[in-house]
Amino acid sequence: MSSLEKDIERKCSLWAIDHGWLVYKFVSPANRGVPDKIFLKKGRIVFVEFKRPGGKLSPLQIHQIKKLKLQAFTVLVIDSVEEFIHAFL
């Protein structure tokens, strides 16, 4: 993960916490490629994969995102703080 990607993830997580979201790092050792974080608020669950601007998903990430979406979960791929805030307002 590049430092820019880490910066985006950190800034978005701090914004979400300040706006009442619960924020958890999503780590699933037996299921590589899962999104980076889970955001929860008032019954809403959003999985987020953070990328640096122009960053691409790996085939494994694409597969994991498809599996989550098939279960009707919201999954976002975010590459800017502004995009994140817009999606969470």
Side-chain angles (χ1 to χ4, degrees):
M1 185 184 313
S2 73
S3 64
L4 183 56
E5 183 177 324
K6 281 186 195 178
D7 291 342
I8 294 168
E9 182 176 338
R10 182 182 54 76
K11 288 175 183 176
C12 291
S13 295
L14 290 172
W15 182 93
I17 290 166
D18 286 346
H19 288 81
W21 288 85
L22 299 176
V23 179
Y24 297 100
K25 182 75 175 166
F26 188 16
V27 179
S28 184
N31 295 290
R32 296 182 64 211
V34 296
D36 296 312
K37 296 254 177 131
I38 305 171
F39 295 82
L40 305 104
K41 182 178 180 181
K42 296 182 181 179
R44 186 173 172 201
I45 300 170
V46 181
F47 293 86
V48 177
E49 175 61 35
F50 290 98
K51 290 291 179 192
R52 60 181 165 70
K56 304 290 182 200
L57 294 171
S58 71
L60 189 53
Q61 289 172 320
I62 292 168
H63 174 73
Q64 292 289 10
I65 288 170
K66 282 182 184 176
K67 284 174 52 176
L68 289 165
K69 286 184 173 185
L70 282 172
Q71 294 295 322
F73 288 108
T74 300
V75 185
L76 303 174
V77 178
I78 298 290
D79 68 1
S80 75
V81 175
E82 297 78 18
E83 179 184 17
F84 178 88
I85 291 171
H86 179 74
F88 278 75
L89 287 178

